[in-house]
Amino acid sequence: MMKNFINRYKNQLDFFIVNALSEDIGVGDHTSLSCIDSEIISSAKLIVKESGYLAGISLSKLIFKHFDPKLEIQIMIKDGNKIKKGDIAFKVRGSAISILSTERLVLNTIQKMSGITSFTKELNEMIKHTPCKILDTRKTTPNFRYAEKLAVMIGGGTNHRMGLFDAILIKDNHIDYCGGMKNTLKKTEKYLNNLDEKLDVVVECRNQKEIDSAINFDFVNRILLDNYNPQELSNAVLFIDGSKTTEASGRIRKENIVEYAETGVDFVSIGELTNNVKSIDMSLKAIII
């Protein structure tokens, strides 16, 4: 599944790598160029400094290879595996300048992705007694979205739409701008009929009246119940009764996710997965022989 993600979004991941390297290196790594001879070949190892789950190894390999195809990477621990303090995740060998120039981007990528994967794993473990699935959101770091959503997937979560381009999610502002739910969905239906591609349609419903309108449109795939408390959510899920898949969002955190998952809702979407996660501490250290 991870390999499919990387292949599907290869252009976007390449775009991230090119721009992230350019942002950090610019015209050149003056520090390394000033004191490291270009012919020096060396090695380094990625040392884990706290427990969690690993993510970003495959993407880091792409970063190394993009910058210097001659770099050799020996993977010791694969993406998704549990890690603890003192573990060596990988070793890299090649140009010392290349290793130093890519060090920070690789570390930033793996540390943040591992934090997301670890948190996603933790939440999944908490609700594994329910059929509810965890969704990510568009609350992501600009230009780092694909890496963050890959980390969610590695942690056992499910990707929501990648962006505004691959699904329709009708929210409260869309409905208010259009003058109500029925008018919004009639316009949406007309738009969909003129498209060559099929798009999933998710509709946010704030109250019973909006639910009544949304469930009558066949093209609506999912009803999003935003900012409902658990009791309200349970009642809405019972009313919808499987005629549409259901999603809960808003105010859902680690502290209350079990209560929401136990309502019978199909999905919970959590912005904290990507926008408020602590990175896992690691360091890339030279191997001195």
Side-chain angles (χ1 to χ4, degrees), residues 77-89:
I77 305 174
K78 294 182 179 180
D79 284 320
N81 287 357
K82 196 167 186 177
I83 50 176
K84 65 183 185 303
K85 184 177 180 179
D87 282 345
I88 307 300

Side-chain angles (χ1 to χ4, degrees), residues 124 127 130-135 156-158 246 261 265-269:
N124 267 324
I127 65 169
T130 77
C132 183
K133 291 181 172 57
I134 293 173
L135 290 172
T158 302
T246 53
V265 71
D266 297 301
F267 297 96
V268 290
S269 51

Side-chain angles (χ1 to χ4, degrees), residues 3-255:
K3 186 176 180 180
N4 290 339
F5 183 104
I6 291 174
N7 289 336
R8 181 178 181 183
Y9 298 113
K10 185 179 184 305
N11 290 339
Q12 291 87 345
L13 292 171
D14 286 345
F15 178 86
F16 155 69
I17 292 170
V18 169
N19 284 277
L21 287 171
S22 176
E23 176 185 60
D24 199 30
I25 299 172
V27 297
D29 175 7
H30 288 307
T31 307
S32 297
L33 293 171
S34 70
C35 61
I36 305 294
D37 292 336
S38 60
E39 68 272 12
I40 291 180
I41 300 298
S42 189
S43 300
K45 57 186 177 181
L46 184 74
I47 304 173
V48 177
K49 301 175 78 172
E50 61 180 305
S51 298
Y53 288 86
L54 188 65
I57 292 294
S58 297
L59 184 52
S60 294
K61 185 175 180 180
L62 293 178
I63 293 169
F64 279 133
K65 288 294 187 180
H66 176 88
F67 187 79
D68 183 351
K70 293 182 179 180
L71 288 174
E72 299 173 359
I73 300 93
Q74 181 185 3
I75 296 173
M76 325 291 282
I77 305 174
K78 294 182 179 180
D79 284 320
N81 287 357
K82 196 167 186 177
I83 50 176
K84 65 183 185 303
K85 184 177 180 179
D87 282 345
I88 307 300
F90 70 73
K91 294 180 181 178
V92 57
R93 179 171 176 77
S95 164
I97 290 178
S98 294
I99 293 172
L100 290 165
S101 296
T102 52
E103 173 187 1
R104 178 44 53 195
L105 176 57
V106 166
L107 279 172
N108 287 349
T109 298
I110 291 183
Q111 289 176 314
K112 180 70 181 292
M113 288 182 67
S114 295
I116 292 170
T117 290
S118 298
F119 188 49
T120 305
K121 288 260 192 185
E122 181 181 5
L123 296 183
N124 267 324
E125 183 66 22
M126 292 174 67
I127 65 169
K128 67 180 182 180
H129 62 290
T130 77
C132 183
K133 291 181 172 57
I134 293 173
L135 290 172
D136 53 27
T137 70
R138 284 170 52 240
K139 295 177 182 177
T140 54
T141 307
N143 297 321
F144 198 55
R145 174 173 298 179
Y146 290 88
E148 290 175 337
K149 283 181 171 281
L150 175 57
V152 169
M153 193 190 69
I154 293 171
T158 302
N159 293 148
H160 211 301
R161 58 178 178 165
M162 192 59 65
L164 297 173
F165 57 88
D166 61 343
I168 290 177
L169 201 171
I170 298 169
K171 302 194 74 176
D172 52 357
N173 284 340
H174 300 98
I175 295 165
D176 290 342
Y177 284 150
C178 277
M181 179 67 78
K182 285 185 179 179
N183 194 42
T184 304
L185 293 179
K186 285 178 180 178
K187 286 177 174 290
T188 302
E189 186 171 31
K190 184 177 180 180
Y191 178 83
L192 288 169
N193 288 336
N194 290 322
L195 282 184
D196 293 330
E197 61 179 321
K198 179 176 172 56
L199 294 175
D200 286 339
V201 178
V202 181
V203 180
E204 179 182 319
C205 295
R206 294 167 286 187
N207 51 54
Q208 186 64 44
K209 182 180 178 181
E210 291 185 342
I211 294 174
D212 289 338
S213 295
I215 61 176
N216 290 319
F217 287 84
D218 291 338
F219 65 86
V220 173
N221 303 104
R222 186 189 309 156
I223 292 180
L224 169 59
L225 303 158
D226 190 44
N227 287 313
Y228 283 53
N229 65 42
Q231 185 58 58
E232 293 168 338
L233 180 63
S234 181
N235 292 338
V237 168
L238 284 172
F239 176 80
I240 295 167
D241 194 27
S243 61
K244 308 285 185 186
T245 58
T246 53
E247 173 188 345
S249 70
R251 301 183 295 189
I252 302 174
R253 305 176 303 280
K254 175 182 174 181
E255 292 76 16

